[in-house]
Amino acid sequence: MSSPWSAPSPAPSRRAVLRGGLTLAAGLAGMTGLSACRSTTEGLAPVEEGRLDTKHWPGHRPRWLLALPEGARATVVALHGHGADAGMWFDPPLAQRLAHELGVAVAAVDGGTTYWHARADGTDAGTMVLEDLLPAFEQAGAPTDRIGLTGFSMGGYGALLLATRLPPERVLGVAAVSAALFFDAHEAAPGAFDDADDFARHDIFDRVDALRELPVWLACGDDDTFAATNQSLAKQLPDATTRFDAGGHDRAYLEAHWPAGMGFLTNR
């Protein structure tokens, strides 16, 4: 997949994280692993933005974004799709609006094209999220005792994967929209896995027992490339909440369904 919405198409350009009327202020100075600034705009949760120092992505300081309303009850980590970055949740301001409406922090970080798992080149964006990002956000004031995980496409896969790596009692739930799931290594998107062994180590269908212990919400369009794999996973998770309806692998489907997935997580 060459873009977060449909393939093939060019990766989206980087736009400003927030649109007009934002005031930047210095913040979080001296926080371990973070450099940050804070943005606010009326009617939306305030946003903090910075760079993360991590050993799990050599040579990179990935950008993170955190919509943190006052009195946030929990934190939901949103993982982006292939060809996108952390800003996909914040421009347009979906994360800020839902954080404000639902009373939870919504966090995102750049993950490149890693598929959110350990790669042969030394990158491990999934461990970066669990070991570096969550402690940093806790230090920023976001509640991280229980974590929700959500994502689109590559990020939907990543959300399901990372949910199985945390103790079940710490996982608020997982909400995946159009998750990039594959039945075997031969069907996987180019670059999603290093080889067949890498696929086997990170195969979601081998983690069904762990997912059955968690609240799971799945949505996927009938015309989506991943419709069959998402429906197959749902059949193995009889307690999951699912929405399989009209739509394709695009931003329109994401924006129409992600608020419901977020509602599922925050109603836990």
Side-chain angles (χ1 to χ4, degrees):
M1 294 173 55
S2 59
S3 87
W5 313 121
S6 59
S9 62
S13 60
R14 261 176 206 258
R15 296 175 291 175
V17 174
L18 301 172
R19 299 177 190 239
L22 300 185
T23 302
L24 299 183
L28 305 180
M31 183 174 297
T32 303
L34 292 178
S35 59
C37 60
R38 184 177 180 88
S39 304
T40 59
T41 190
E42 186 176 355
L44 303 174
V47 174
E48 295 171 4
E49 174 180 359
R51 297 280 174 177
L52 183 68
D53 292 321
T54 176
K55 66 181 181 181
H56 297 297
W57 197 350
H60 290 78
R61 298 182 70 232
R63 181 180 61 148
W64 57 264
L65 292 155
L66 174 66
L68 182 60
E70 185 175 355
R73 299 178 287 118
T75 296
V76 177
V77 177
L79 304 180
H80 65 74
H82 191 282
D85 58 24
M88 71 168 284
W89 306 102
F90 288 79
D91 181 21
L94 302 176
Q96 303 93 303
R97 176 174 57 82
L98 288 175
H100 174 75
E101 293 176 356
L102 299 174
V104 297
V106 181
V109 66
D110 291 348
T113 59
T114 64
Y115 271 76
W116 304 103
H117 65 270
R119 308 308 301 266
D121 65 0
T123 301
D124 189 348
T127 298
M128 176 187 76
V129 169
L130 300 181
E131 294 187 359
D132 298 332
L133 196 69
L134 292 182
F137 285 152
E138 181 178 11
Q139 194 172 357
T144 59
D145 53 332
R146 296 192 73 199
I147 296 296
L149 290 153
T150 188
F152 173 79
S153 191
M154 179 186 82
Y157 161 82
L160 291 163
L161 180 68
L162 295 193
T164 67
R165 295 183 56 187
L166 288 168
E169 62 273 13
R170 194 180 178 194
V171 180
L172 191 66
V174 54
V177 182
S178 310
L181 303 177
F182 310 96
F183 288 124
D184 58 52
H186 300 293
E187 295 181 358
F193 303 92
D194 295 318
D195 51 34
D197 289 339
D198 185 37
F199 176 87
R201 286 192 296 271
H202 302 101
D203 184 0
I204 292 299
F205 290 98
D206 280 347
R207 296 171 181 250
V208 168
D209 288 344
L211 289 171
R212 285 178 181 152
E213 298 184 42
L214 306 173
V216 175
W217 183 96
L218 299 172
C220 193
D222 294 337
D223 295 328
D224 195 303
T225 306
F226 300 110
T229 49
N230 277 260
Q231 291 169 11
S232 179
L233 179 63
K235 290 177 181 178
Q236 299 180 56
L237 301 174
D239 294 330
T241 299
T242 61
R243 290 195 177 188
F244 298 125
D245 51 11
H249 200 79
D250 52 35
R251 177 129 202 162
Y253 191 87
L254 171 65
E255 293 191 9
H257 292 77
W258 189 50
M262 286 290 291
F264 171 84
L265 294 178
T266 56
N267 285 335
R268 305 309 307 166

